[in-house]
Amino acid sequence: MPSVGLLERLISFPTVSARSNLELIDFARDFLTRCGARAMIVPNDKGDKANLFASLGPEGPGGVLLSGHSDVVPVEGQAWSADPFKAVQRDGRIYGRGAADMKGFLACALRAVELASKADLTEPLHIAISHDEEIGCVGVRTLIERLKLSDFRPRLAIVGEPTSMRIATGHKGKTALSATCHGHAAHSALAPTGVNAIHLATDLIARLRARQDEIARTGNHDAGFAVPYTTIHVGRIAGGTALNIVPDHCSLDWEIRYLGTDDPAALLAAIERDADEIARRSRNVADEAGIRIEPLNDYPGLATGWDEAATVFLRELVSQDTPCKVDFGTEAGLFQRELGIPAVVCGPGSMDQGHKPDEFITLEQLHACDAFMDRLVARLCTPV
């Protein structure tokens, strides 16, 4: 089945992270098993989502893993010109939610398995489709735990996030956190007798911004990234109930996206000291004043050598003289850290189109990925 047709089918599944992905997983499993692949489903605890893993060719170590996520970001509040879950082909592009991020790669990967089913593989071809990547590479972790129990050790994992088919050997790690600020309620007419939790939160934000400015000025830099240093970002704040009440609760969700040369634990420890100092200044008014910082999620960065054997293997299939790095996170770092698998990021399309209304991938990029997959399958048929 052509990758264009497969992509149109994949887009039709509204696999927003808040919803189930089982219809897409069932479709992919049926397709792969018809190709003769050995398929395994790894459901989540609730049973409403699942990862899919499948292998074709000889059993045992070696081969290549093609990995991608099934979930997409929401479309609410975006001005789409057509139904985001009905693919539209126009002017050399395919429009639809997930076209670039990253169902285009999944379509090409499924087509590659169908092609490989008609070939004489000397090394296995693996495919992994995960859930809940968009909310912090959450779903793939149960699949990785399952794979730890096997002899699954491919020579390379290719995570097909959109890179315009360039080989990316690195991305930043991420630590997501919450900060809960506890104050002391009072009537706003007597505001100084209370502790304003929103004020605690904004004081913390000011410290976070000061830390960010310091990192940008004097911290480690890596010119391979569009933003060449570790970043601190506050994405959500909530607090207060009424204008005439000094709020006793406020919460922040924030993150650290860090270079591999930086230590997020050391940075977090410094921020926790900042939070303690802010809270301590208010304890002369209320003993309960405080700021509690808790982790929400994290995933490691990726750092794969350009001259590693696995990368050289891929470079023979993709004409590229120098590596690149991507600023967004992926599952590649987890495959590398948890399974010891060399990993890279390489897929069709551009993240410039991802997460936006009228998301699209060009037919040129799909065809380029198909051509790469053709060369990969041929290479897996070469005697080891």
Side-chain angles (χ1 to χ4, degrees):
M1 187 174 183
S3 56
V4 171
L6 285 164
L7 177 55
E8 291 173 344
R9 190 74 178 94
L10 293 175
I11 287 173
S12 72
F13 298 109
T15 51
V16 177
S17 301
R19 302 176 62 174
S20 174
N21 73 334
L22 293 183
E23 288 188 358
L24 183 150
I25 291 296
D26 288 343
F27 167 79
R29 177 193 58 194
D30 292 346
F31 180 91
L32 291 166
T33 54
R34 286 198 302 272
C35 293
R38 305 175 293 276
M40 174 179 68
I41 299 290
V42 182
N44 68 347
D45 291 339
K46 293 182 179 179
D48 61 343
K49 297 180 183 180
N51 301 304
L52 171 63
F53 177 79
S55 298
L56 190 71
E59 297 191 39
V64 171
L65 168 67
L66 304 174
S67 179
H69 61 83
S70 61
D71 60 318
V72 297
V73 296
V75 298
E76 285 75 20
Q78 295 186 336
W80 284 76
S81 60
D83 184 345
F85 298 109
K86 185 175 181 180
V88 174
Q89 188 173 155
R90 184 176 68 248
D91 300 326
R93 299 171 174 178
I94 298 179
Y95 292 85
R97 175 54 89 220
D101 182 20
M102 58 180 296
K103 291 181 177 180
F105 175 80
L106 291 181
C108 294
L110 291 174
R111 174 193 167 275
V113 173
E114 185 176 48
L115 176 66
S117 70
K118 304 169 186 176
D120 186 15
L121 297 178
T122 58
E123 292 187 68
L125 178 62
H126 309 282
I127 183 170
I129 303 176
S130 62
H131 66 87
D132 286 342
E133 187 274 347
E134 293 288 3
I135 58 174
C137 300
V138 173
V140 74
R141 297 166 197 255
T142 56
L143 173 59
I144 287 174
E145 290 302 311
R146 181 72 66 87
L147 293 175
K148 283 181 179 179
L149 304 176
S150 70
D151 62 351
F152 173 71
R153 291 297 180 271
R155 66 163 75 197
L156 175 67
I158 302 172
V159 177
E161 295 279 3
T163 65
S164 299
M165 291 306 299
R166 297 194 67 207
I167 302 170
T169 57
H171 65 69
K172 295 178 181 179
K174 174 182 172 180
T175 300
L177 306 116
S178 70
T180 304
C181 303
H182 296 282
H184 182 76
H187 195 292
S188 63
L190 303 171
T193 66
V195 175
N196 191 314
I198 294 177
H199 291 180
L200 295 177
T202 55
D203 287 349
L204 178 60
I205 291 172
R207 291 292 186 93
L208 294 176
R209 295 183 67 185
R211 292 278 178 191
Q212 174 69 97
D213 290 343
E214 181 182 8
I215 291 168
R217 288 194 314 270
T218 65
N220 293 319
H221 280 57
D222 184 336
F225 293 102
V227 179
Y229 46 81
T230 291
T231 59
I232 304 171
H233 159 75
V234 177
R236 192 193 68 87
I237 182 169
T241 55
L243 182 58
N244 61 352
I245 300 174
V246 174
D248 63 357
H249 181 275
C250 185
S251 63
L252 306 175
D253 288 344
W254 56 288
E255 68 177 22
I256 303 171
R257 290 185 183 258
Y258 56 92
L259 300 177
T261 51
D262 286 348
D263 181 0
L267 178 55
L268 178 57
I271 293 170
E272 288 176 329
R273 290 194 294 271
D274 291 341
D276 287 341
E277 181 183 336
I278 292 166
R280 193 163 51 246
R281 294 200 303 259
S282 295
R283 290 194 183 119
N284 63 325
V285 177
D287 290 340
E288 67 266 33
I291 300 175
R292 186 177 72 253
I293 294 175
E294 297 178 303
L296 297 174
N297 185 35
D298 72 272
Y299 56 75
L302 173 71
T304 303
W306 186 241
D307 294 322
E308 287 187 29
T311 314
V312 171
F313 169 87
L314 184 60
R315 287 165 54 189
E316 294 173 355
L317 307 176
V318 177
S319 179
Q320 183 179 334
D321 295 330
T322 57
C324 67
K325 296 179 180 180
V326 293
D327 289 86
F328 53 83
T330 81
E331 300 170 350
L334 286 167
F335 283 114
Q336 187 179 69
R337 184 185 72 183
E338 300 297 323
L339 291 172
I341 300 171
V344 298
V345 184
C346 183
S350 170
M351 196 57 85
D352 289 344
Q353 279 76 55
H355 296 204
K356 295 179 179 178
D358 289 344
E359 178 181 350
F360 70 84
I361 191 170
T362 65
L363 292 174
E364 180 182 17
Q365 279 289 297
L366 272 185
H367 297 332
C369 190
D370 282 340
F372 159 71
M373 294 290 184
D374 292 349
R375 294 190 293 272
L376 174 62
V377 170
R379 179 64 180 78
L380 294 178
C381 293
T382 304
V384 179

